[in-house]
């Protein structure tokens, strides 16, 4: 649980679901009438069918494989949810990472537990990005993508400049100085961004 950052309850729930799936695989039964409980203190597991203890002496190899798959799937789903919740709580904050990959103008930033995606619309025009270089980005959005949790990061958003100043200027954090507005100006002649 601590290794993957998920709760003990979610793992016990996954094992319980896996026991029901394994029992059903070997012995049949209606899913609505089957349940399983696990004693977290001693690890004792009991399978119930319509409230009656039907715990078998052992499961077959195929049923054990089914249980393993159910457990792994449930743990992966819980991990995804935990990552989305973690990065949703960090919206509009600065994160440090390094550029992992550049694909067709899209920058992939390694943020540690997850990779952030910086599309061209969130990049600073004219800024050069190099693989393995350290970079600070704004966590702009956390959502479920096609391949799992996806975090959209930005360096072009005005909030990025505001949060960067807040990190670097102590008077902003203390409230002595307040940022009223942020404006960026791009000079096309020299390709400079100020």
């Amino acid at each position: 649980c601590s290794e993957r950052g998920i709760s003990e309850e979610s793992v016990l729930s996954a094992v319980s679901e896996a026991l029901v799936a394994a029992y059903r695989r070997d012995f049949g039964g209606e899913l609505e009438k089957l349940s399983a409980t696990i004693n977290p203190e001693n690890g004792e597991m009991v399978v119930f069918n319509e409230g009656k203890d039907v715990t078998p002496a052992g499961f077959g190899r195929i049923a054990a494989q089914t249980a393993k798959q159910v457990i792994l799937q449930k743990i992966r789903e819980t991990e995804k949810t935990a990552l989305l919740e973690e990065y949703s709580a960090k919206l509009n904050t600065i994160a440090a990472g390094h550029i992992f990959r550049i694909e067709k103008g899209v920058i992939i930033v390694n943020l540690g537990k997850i990779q952030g995606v910086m599309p061209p619309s969130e990049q600073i025009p004219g800024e050069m990005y190099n693989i393995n270089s350290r970079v600070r980005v704004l966590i702009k959005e956390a959502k479920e993508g096609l391949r799992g949790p996806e975090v959209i990061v930005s360096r072009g958003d005005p909030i990025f400049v505001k949060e960067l100043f807040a990190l670097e200027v102590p008077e902003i954090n203390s409230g002595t100085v307040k940022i009223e507005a942020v404006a960026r100006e791009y000079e096309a002649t020299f390709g400079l961004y100020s």
Side-chain angles (χ1 to χ4, degrees):
C1 295
S2 60
E3 182 181 306
R4 295 191 180 224
I6 56 179
S7 69
E8 186 177 321
E9 294 80 30
S10 63
V11 173
L12 290 174
S13 170
V15 173
S16 181
E17 286 179 31
L19 286 171
V20 169
Y23 179 86
R24 199 161 167 236
R25 173 96 182 174
D26 275 0
F27 303 100
E30 294 180 41
L31 190 58
E32 309 81 41
K33 296 178 181 179
L34 294 172
S35 64
T37 60
I38 301 164
N39 183 337
E41 303 299 321
N42 60 17
E44 185 179 313
M45 300 174 245
V46 181
V47 179
F48 294 99
N49 188 356
E50 294 185 32
K52 297 176 191 162
D53 183 347
V54 293
T55 309
F59 286 119
R61 187 180 60 79
I62 293 173
Q65 190 65 26
T66 301
K68 178 183 172 187
Q69 292 304 319
V70 170
I71 292 169
L72 291 175
Q73 180 182 356
K74 183 77 170 176
I75 288 173
R76 277 192 295 269
E77 288 171 9
T78 306
E79 276 183 306
K80 286 179 190 178
T81 304
L83 276 173
L84 279 176
E85 287 173 2
E86 178 183 339
Y87 282 92
S88 291
K90 294 180 180 182
L91 292 182
N92 293 327
T93 62
I94 300 286
H98 71 274
I99 297 175
F100 179 69
R101 193 169 67 238
I102 301 173
E103 292 178 356
K104 299 177 185 172
V106 175
I107 312 292
I108 309 299
V109 180
N110 186 341
L111 299 172
K113 293 181 182 179
I114 199 166
Q115 292 179 352
V117 177
M118 185 170 32
S121 61
E122 297 298 337
Q123 298 170 23
I124 298 173
E127 187 172 49
M128 300 302 293
Y129 300 99
N130 299 309
I131 294 175
N132 291 326
S133 61
R134 303 246 348 122
V135 65
R136 285 185 177 176
V137 293
L138 177 78
I139 306 290
K140 190 162 182 177
E141 185 180 359
K143 62 181 182 178
E144 184 66 39
L146 295 174
R147 293 185 229 153
E150 189 174 89
V151 174
I152 306 297
V153 296
S154 177
R155 284 183 56 82
D157 194 295
I159 297 172
F160 173 70
V161 175
K162 187 177 178 180
E163 290 298 314
L164 201 55
F165 270 114
L167 279 176
E168 301 295 332
V169 181
E171 291 82 5
I172 294 173
N173 267 340
S174 68
T176 308
V177 175
K178 183 180 176 188
I179 298 174
E180 291 292 331
V182 175
R184 286 181 144 183
E185 190 175 296
Y186 181 71
E187 295 181 24
T189 336
F190 301 106
L192 301 173
Y193 212 37
S194 56

